Amino acid sequence: MIDAWQRADGRKGIRNTVAVAYLVECAHHVARKIVDKADDADVHLIGFPGCYPNAYAARVMEAVTTHPNVGGVVIVSLGCESFDRERLQQVIRDSGRPVELYVIQQTGGTAATIAAGLEAVARVKAQIADVPRVPMRVDELIVGTICGGSDGTSGITANPAVGRAFDRLVADGATCIFEETGELVGCEGIMADRALTPELGEEIMACVRKAEEYYTIMGFGSFAPGNAEGGLTTQEEKSMGAYSKSGSSLISGIIKPGDVPPAGGLYLLDVVPDGEPRFGFPNISDNAEIVEMIACGCHLTLFTTGRGSVVGSAIAPVIKICANPETARRLAADMDINAGRILEGEATLDEVGDEIVDAIIAVAGGQPSVSEALGHREFILTYKAFDPVGPACLPVAARS
């Protein structure tokens, strides 16, 4: 049983962090100085750099600042940006979390706001120090997965091992989320066959078709030079490798960033914006995808990599699963699990899948992941636009 923090809104968190959130790039330096001077592993920096309003960014920021792993928030605003700081403050307050707001233009500038922000962090930490601890079952966990720095080993070791772990978690009633619709082109038919309803299957087909059209218009795809250098030969090969992270369970629904799944099961996260391409590459880095996972309630994220990645995340832990045994040896200090042992005949997919589940329970129970222990707290939020999901996308909601 996991020892979790009980939030006033009824959700349970596996961490008790204070988020210092800047609302425009002009406030980034001040917010970062507050976090740096606090020098506390439980105080994390998050933010949105844009000056102009964006409904997607506002929704994601509201979801992240009220994530179950967040105990309280200090908001840092310049003062003339378009982000609705009062609404964000009210959303956080309505969730039962302590929140303080500082506007640099009104507080007295850089030094004054840093000093005020440091005092605010201390007050918020004191307020959340006695948040009740309660038992948390595996079926209350939300777990996401992404892949980054993929190579020729990813689709035959780490990714399918995550799929085995997902199958076990879903069978136990947990919620699992996979994504990267731009990297699932060609897999839409087999995903549709796994859909809970025929109508959901049609939505999955449309979701991937949208991604394919988006990339076609933009003039590029998700197949990067690094993938080719790592031994991947085609987009189809990469897609099948990415798809294998989903396991073999029925797909319960499609969600978009900021949607929290309504019940346990396996969900596809649509990360490609709706409408004509306006904001460039759908996710400019792996951490943008992790932030979207967090916005959907993921307590932690499984990150598979073949060539190697060292990033982690603010707010929610990242568990690194290395696909390539050579990379695992070279970057051993940055990896949680060496799935490359499968390639060398030292472990089976099922054995590594069980190891992944054990790691999830351990990290959820308070053991820091490797990226956490190293101090990784990356966070990226940019511009996108999404339409709400239709009723066919969440048939599980209608049945619950």
Side-chain angles (χ1 to χ4, degrees), residues 30 76-79 102-117:
V30 170
V76 183
S77 160
L78 174 62
Y102 292 88
V103 180
I104 296 170
Q105 292 169 349
Q106 300 171 8
T107 306
T110 298
T113 308
I114 292 170

Side-chain angles (χ1 to χ4, degrees), residues 296-326:
C296 293
C298 287
H299 292 94
L300 51 82
T301 299
L302 307 174
F303 189 138
T304 68
T305 183
R307 304 203 70 199
S309 175
V310 301
V311 301
S313 176
I315 308 303
V318 171
I319 296 175
K320 286 288 185 40
I321 304 158
C322 192
N324 190 315
E326 294 181 1

Side-chain angles (χ1 to χ4, degrees), residues 14 67 69 141-148 162 166 177-180 245 269 286-304 311-321 336 356 359-360 363-364 369 371-372:
I14 65 171
H67 187 278
N69 290 355
L141 280 174
I142 304 179
V143 181
T145 186
I146 73 161
C147 51
V162 167
F166 264 24
I177 304 174
F178 72 108
E179 46 78 73
E180 297 175 301
K245 300 197 306 299
L269 174 58
D286 296 322
N287 281 94
E289 298 169 358
I290 295 174
V291 168
E292 291 178 331
M293 287 287 182
I294 296 170
C296 293
C298 287
H299 292 94
L300 51 82
T301 299
L302 307 174
F303 189 138
T304 68
V311 301
S313 176
I315 308 303
V318 171
I319 296 175
K320 286 288 185 40
I321 304 158
D336 294 275
I356 293 169
I360 290 168
V363 171
S369 70
S371 63
E372 274 188 293

Side-chain angles (χ1 to χ4, degrees), residues 79-319:
C80 54
E81 73 276 4
S82 299
F83 204 108
D84 191 341
R85 56 182 176 269
E86 286 81 13
R87 173 184 164 84
L88 177 62
Q89 182 182 33
Q90 191 60 51
V91 166
I92 298 168
R93 184 178 291 127
D94 289 346
S95 76
R97 291 164 173 79
V99 55
E100 297 197 24
L101 167 63
Y102 292 88
V103 180
I104 296 170
Q105 292 169 349
Q106 300 171 8
T107 306
T110 298
T113 308
I114 292 170
L118 271 170
E119 294 175 357
V121 166
R123 283 192 296 271
V124 171
K125 277 203 63 107
Q127 287 178 271
I128 67 174
D130 58 354
V131 172
R133 302 298 295 273
V134 294
M136 182 180 188
R137 303 182 308 272
V138 172
D139 63 4
E140 297 177 280
L141 280 174
I142 304 179
V143 181
T145 186
I146 73 161
C147 51
S150 300
D151 69 6
T153 68
S154 297
I156 55 179
T157 60
N159 290 2
V162 167
R164 301 296 173 94
F166 264 24
D167 287 343
R168 180 174 158 187
L169 290 168
V170 170
D172 288 341
T175 303
C176 295
I177 304 174
F178 72 108
E179 46 78 73
E180 297 175 301
T181 46
E183 296 185 1
L184 292 170
V185 175
C187 300
E188 59 270 29
I190 50 179
M191 287 194 293
D193 289 341
R194 293 169 54 197
L196 189 63
T197 65
E199 293 77 17
L200 175 59
E202 293 175 5
E203 293 289 347
I204 290 173
M205 297 285 286
C207 178
V208 178
R209 186 164 57 247
K210 177 188 71 171
E212 185 174 15
E213 291 171 354
Y214 189 103
Y215 281 118
T216 299
I217 293 171
M218 291 299 297
F220 52 73
S222 65
F223 193 91
N227 298 140
E229 291 172 6
L232 286 170
T233 60
T234 62
Q235 176 66 57
E236 290 79 6
E237 185 181 9
K238 186 179 183 184
S239 292
M240 288 302 296
Y243 165 79
S244 66
K245 300 197 306 299
S246 69
S248 60
S249 304
L250 284 178
I251 298 175
S252 297
I254 298 173
I255 57 174
K256 296 184 181 183
D259 294 332
V260 176
L266 178 67
Y267 294 82
L268 171 62
L269 174 58
D270 179 7
V271 300
V272 175
D274 291 313
E276 290 297 313
R278 287 179 284 165
F279 303 117
F281 200 80
N283 277 317
I284 61 174
S285 77
D286 296 322
N287 281 94
E289 298 169 358
I290 295 174
V291 168
E292 291 178 331
M293 287 287 182
I294 296 170
C296 293
C298 287
H299 292 94
L300 51 82
T301 299
L302 307 174
F303 189 138
T304 68
T305 183
R307 304 203 70 199
S309 175
V310 301
V311 301
S313 176
I315 308 303
V318 171
I319 296 175

